[in-house]
Amino acid sequence: MLSVVRVHLPSEIPIVGCEITPYVLLRRPDGAVSTDDVPETAPADGQFMRYRWYRIQSDRKVPICSVHPMEQATIQCLGCLKSKIPVAKSYHCSAKCFSDAWQHHKVLHERASSALNENGTEEEELFGRFGGGGSGVLSTTGSGSLSNYGQSPGVNNGPMPLYPSGTDKNSGETWFEVGRSRTYTPTADDIGHALKFECVAVDAEKRSPVGPPTSIMTSRVIPAPTPTPRRLIQVNGDVLGHLDLDSQTSSLGTFTVLSYNILADAYATSDTYSYCPTWALSWTYRRQNLLREIIGYHADIICLQEVQLNHFEDFFAPELDKHGYQALYKKRTTEVYSGNPMAIDGCATFFRRDKFSHVKKYEVEFNKAAQSLTDAIIPAAQKRVALSRLIKDNIALIAVLEAKFGNHGAENPGKRQLLCVANTHINVHQDLKDVKLWEVHTLLKGLEKIAVSADIPMLVCGDFNSTPGSSPHSLLAMGKVDQPHPDLAIDPLGILRPPSKLNHQLPLVSAYSSFARVVGVGYDLEHQRRRMDPGTNEPIFTNCTRDFTGTVDYIFYTATVLILFADGRVCAISADSLTVESLLELLDEESLRKDTALPSPEWSSDHIALLAEFRCKARIRR
């Protein structure tokens, strides 16, 4: 007889938009135990499994804490209601909950206040009237005010999303069937309600259950936590300007570029990120949260790192295709990898079809470059040791795109506006600094060869696992590595010699350094400068975990492009270049630390996304 041995849920909390597939262990008629399904179309010994999902609604209703979705809210921030912040964000389960979350929560108030001030409304009007005493009103330092929801249910006239508190039989329950498959995806109608999963073996001929059903209850369904929107901050162009100030330029339009290490599911383990709730670490949740975030940036070009092959094929490529993006992908090579080949991660580059067309794709495999290098300079007896050190499966994906926007056709008939976009993940161990530097140098020399062939602005995006001041960062930003650099002391294979060859001719500039260089004042710019390291002109962090906080992700661009000859001579400065128009605001570390670190329920990677808006300039040829 077909029977159910065990049923359990993959996550303790169901979230809207995130599918639930319970673990169902079956004992088949032959006595074998398996998790394989037995559908009606393929019965086992005349029996198959039937599944049902139910939503259980109760008459008892309570609001839910915006910070701890498993807790009932007891207080409400009146400032949120006055400033028309989404009401769900105003609820907290206790005064301590609100106080602990204040550094993050106040950002909502500041933005709402800023928007109101622009319309002539004073900040005091928003918050100043809530300071007085009164029944059911709690005051906390710097918080504006709170309504004690439990004591003063009528203190405001705003909308109150009321959710059921449980499944007490005495409270009056209504059961709604919501699904008839093993997998169910909660909807907005399920928010605040518990779900029940039921499975039972059914006789295929009689169409009747064989034995009693097995069921399991979920906790209340919660809405997917939504990250606080990040804004684009104007930086008024690149203050470096053009080296040839006498040349005439014309604007070819603007476009945006996103670079984001999304944290592959294979690496998102509870052992590594024990501070992140298991439901927020699950791929079913993270993929939806990441997709919402990525789509919300409306970038014209998207460079993602740590994208597993199966997730690219089954999720990101088809989902982004719906939003008008064409996809390119390169997975890491597999010489030192063992396991599921579909779980190998790589780099994915997407671009909007209405803005760009694909011209050419280059795939850089550093393993192949390592083989060529060892053949050329390493004695035969040492090749095995050398390859063991150099082969780390890292790759880069380079795309040459043609812009479909701008006015270059009228002023430069027949000229195609091309753009080269490099996307890479240099995830070499910190003890192998020579290998890390060699990989970055190899990539840059390859990009130089592309630069020889055309007037083509370049973008170099990715996770370089290199902090500002390291030798790879120096090579990218300065075009060389000074001989006294301490990283050069680690070179057991002699691959960095002579140091004078560690250079390139691409005039790369870090996009986010514009925050430090731009001339201007204002609330937004000052806040961003506080999130920059004045010593390096880079963000204080792009990667924030419990054990490490620092910058390893960059968007580099060519402020100008050099014409290079085969003999290495630099002949002239080419025409086309990029300037930075605006940058996606950086996040505040203190606000992220409210959830210990990244990833968190709000942000689904241990990295933050970087985004820059560029304007392409072309010299008018007379």
Side-chain angles (χ1 to χ4, degrees):
M1 185 177 73
L2 183 66
S3 61
V4 178
V5 177
R6 183 187 176 197
V7 175
H8 80 262
L9 298 168
S11 175
E12 69 269 29
I13 302 178
I15 304 104
V16 170
C18 299
E19 66 180 27
I20 312 170
T21 304
Y23 174 93
V24 181
L25 187 64
L26 300 175
R27 178 171 282 110
R28 292 175 171 267
D30 60 3
V33 175
S34 171
T35 58
D36 293 337
D37 194 14
V38 181
E40 185 175 1
T41 54
D45 199 22
Q47 298 174 359
F48 64 90
M49 292 301 301
R50 187 181 72 188
Y51 304 104
R52 295 287 187 272
W53 285 92
Y54 300 94
R55 178 172 69 238
I56 304 173
Q57 296 187 195
S58 170
D59 294 337
R60 295 174 58 196
K61 299 180 179 181
V62 296
I64 303 300
C65 176
S66 62
V67 178
H68 305 100
M70 291 295 291
E71 302 295 331
Q72 176 179 333
T74 61
I75 57 178
Q76 185 174 30
C77 175
L78 294 180
C80 288
L81 299 179
K82 184 69 176 179
S83 52
K84 298 182 180 179
I85 293 168
V87 69
K89 293 181 177 292
S90 69
Y91 292 116
H92 297 269
C93 56
S94 67
K96 183 179 185 304
C97 166
F98 184 82
S99 179
D100 290 345
W102 173 245
Q103 290 301 317
H104 173 72
H105 186 81
K106 72 177 181 180
V107 174
L108 302 176
H109 288 208
E110 290 170 352
R111 291 182 175 177
S113 175
S114 176
L116 288 172
N117 284 333
E118 290 177 2
N119 294 324
T121 304
E122 295 297 327
E123 186 172 0
E124 291 80 7
E125 183 177 339
L126 180 60
F127 301 114
R129 297 181 183 176
F130 300 114
S135 174
V137 176
L138 303 177
S139 295
T140 59
T141 303
S143 67
S145 66
L146 295 171
S147 160
N148 186 317
Y149 179 79
Q151 296 177 16
S152 304
V155 73
N156 68 80
N157 296 319
M160 304 287 288
L162 300 177
Y163 304 143
S165 61
T167 56
D168 185 352
K169 293 293 185 182
N170 296 324
S171 68
E173 291 179 352
T174 305
W175 288 33
F176 295 93
E177 183 179 310
V178 292
R180 292 196 169 193
S181 64
R182 184 169 172 178
T183 296
Y184 178 68
T185 303
T187 68
D189 292 337
D190 298 321
I191 293 176
H193 303 301
L195 300 174
K196 180 179 179 179
F197 172 71
E198 184 178 275
C199 58
V200 65
V202 173
D203 186 290
E205 182 178 348
K206 297 179 179 180
R207 318 293 295 179
S208 60
V210 179
T214 300
S215 63
I216 190 170
M217 297 280 295
T218 74
S219 59
R220 285 189 296 255
V221 176
I222 66 170
T226 54
T228 303
R230 295 169 65 188
R231 297 171 296 168
L232 278 174
I233 308 297
Q234 288 294 125
V235 294
N236 299 320
D238 185 355
V239 300
L240 289 181
H242 296 282
L243 297 182
D244 183 358
L245 298 178
D246 293 329
S247 67
Q248 293 179 283
T249 63
S250 65
S251 172
L252 300 183
T254 63
F255 61 93
T256 53
V257 178
L258 173 74
S259 184
Y260 197 5
N261 181 327
I262 63 170
L263 179 59
D265 183 48
Y267 310 141
T269 66
S270 293
D271 289 340
T272 303
Y273 305 104
S274 58
Y275 49 83
C276 184
T278 55
W279 62 267
L281 204 55
S282 68
W283 179 241
T284 53
Y285 171 73
R286 289 202 308 117
R287 70 178 184 179
Q288 293 296 338
N289 204 35
L290 287 166
L291 182 65
R292 277 192 296 270
E293 182 186 358
I294 291 167
I295 293 300
Y297 292 133
H298 305 290
D300 298 312
I301 300 171
I302 300 172
C303 295
L304 303 182
Q305 302 88 44
E306 287 197 23
V307 182
Q308 289 182 195
L309 176 59
N310 54 334
H311 296 159
F312 171 79
E313 294 179 344
D314 300 338
F315 184 72
F316 285 109
E319 289 298 326
L320 287 169
D321 177 72
K322 298 175 185 176
H323 294 271
Y325 291 93
Q326 184 171 332
L328 301 172
Y329 183 77
K330 173 62 179 173
K331 71 175 181 178
R332 294 177 64 198
T333 41
T334 59
E335 280 77 358
V336 297
Y337 184 86
S338 61
N340 179 4
M342 295 299 289
I344 299 172
D345 65 286
C347 294
T349 299
F350 303 85
F351 57 91
R352 294 183 62 91
R353 297 187 191 92
D354 60 345
K355 282 289 191 80
F356 295 96
S357 59
H358 178 227
V359 176
K360 195 164 186 178
K361 172 186 176 183
Y362 299 91
E363 297 182 349
V364 179
E365 295 185 359
F366 295 111
N367 285 3
K368 289 183 178 178
Q371 186 69 57
S372 297
L373 178 68
T374 54
D375 289 344
I377 70 169
I378 303 296
Q382 301 175 16
K383 280 187 178 180
R384 180 175 295 181
V385 173
L387 288 174
S388 177
R389 185 176 184 87
L390 290 171
I391 289 182
K392 299 303 173 192
D393 291 345
N394 296 323
I395 54 90
L397 173 62
I398 302 172
V400 177
L401 308 176
E402 180 177 0
K404 296 181 178 180
F405 55 86
N407 59 1
H408 59 280
E411 296 168 335
N412 296 282
K415 182 182 185 302
R416 304 168 69 192
Q417 181 55 52
L418 300 178
L419 178 70
C420 181
V421 183
N423 180 10
T424 192
H425 185 192
I426 308 294
N427 57 346
V428 177
H429 195 277
Q430 293 304 315
D431 290 342
L432 302 176
K433 294 180 180 180
D434 55 323
V435 180
K436 192 189 302 284
L437 176 57
W438 171 76
E439 288 190 354
V440 173
H441 184 248
T442 300
L443 172 61
L444 293 172
K445 299 310 283 188
L447 291 174
E448 274 189 344
K449 294 178 181 178
I450 298 175
V452 170
S453 63
D455 286 346
I456 180 167
M458 291 199 170
L459 293 163
V460 185
C461 306
D463 175 2
F464 291 83
N465 272 294
S466 302
T467 56
S470 65
S471 57
H473 181 266
S474 295
L475 183 61
L476 285 158
M478 305 301 295
K480 62 179 181 177
V481 181
D482 292 332
Q483 190 161 349
H485 199 290
D487 285 0
L488 299 184
I490 303 174
D491 186 20
L493 301 177
I495 60 175
L496 306 179
R497 301 170 192 162
S500 59
K501 288 190 176 181
L502 293 173
N503 59 64
H504 65 90
Q505 301 299 322
L506 299 172
L508 295 175
V509 178
S510 174
Y512 270 79
S513 65
S514 296
F515 273 143
R517 299 192 317 268
V518 68
V519 177
V521 294
Y523 175 85
D524 290 333
L525 281 175
E526 287 303 315
H527 270 66
Q528 294 309 302
R529 288 191 181 110
R530 293 174 194 169
R531 297 167 188 175
M532 299 286 292
D533 183 337
T536 64
N537 286 347
E538 295 286 6
I540 293 174
F541 73 91
T542 63
N543 181 210
C544 180
T545 67
R546 183 171 54 191
D547 302 319
F548 173 81
T549 300
T551 292
V552 294
D553 306 273
Y554 307 94
I555 298 176
F556 282 94
Y557 68 101
T558 48
T560 56
V561 179
L562 303 184
I563 295 292
L564 305 175
F565 289 99
D567 60 4
R569 290 182 298 115
V570 180
C571 176
I573 297 174
S574 178
D576 300 343
S577 63
L578 300 173
T579 60
V580 179
E581 293 288 300
S582 56
L583 295 166
L584 185 67
E585 65 180 328
L586 297 168
L587 295 176
D588 175 60
E589 182 180 354
E590 189 175 2
S591 69
L592 299 181
R593 292 294 181 188
K594 70 182 176 65
D595 291 313
T596 303
L598 299 177
S600 67
E602 188 174 12
W603 304 100
S604 288
S605 175
D606 54 346
H607 295 248
I608 65 171
L610 301 179
L611 183 144
E613 179 187 24
F614 293 97
R615 183 175 297 278
C616 191
K617 299 280 189 176
R619 182 179 305 175
I620 302 173
R621 294 160 176 79
R622 300 297 185 184

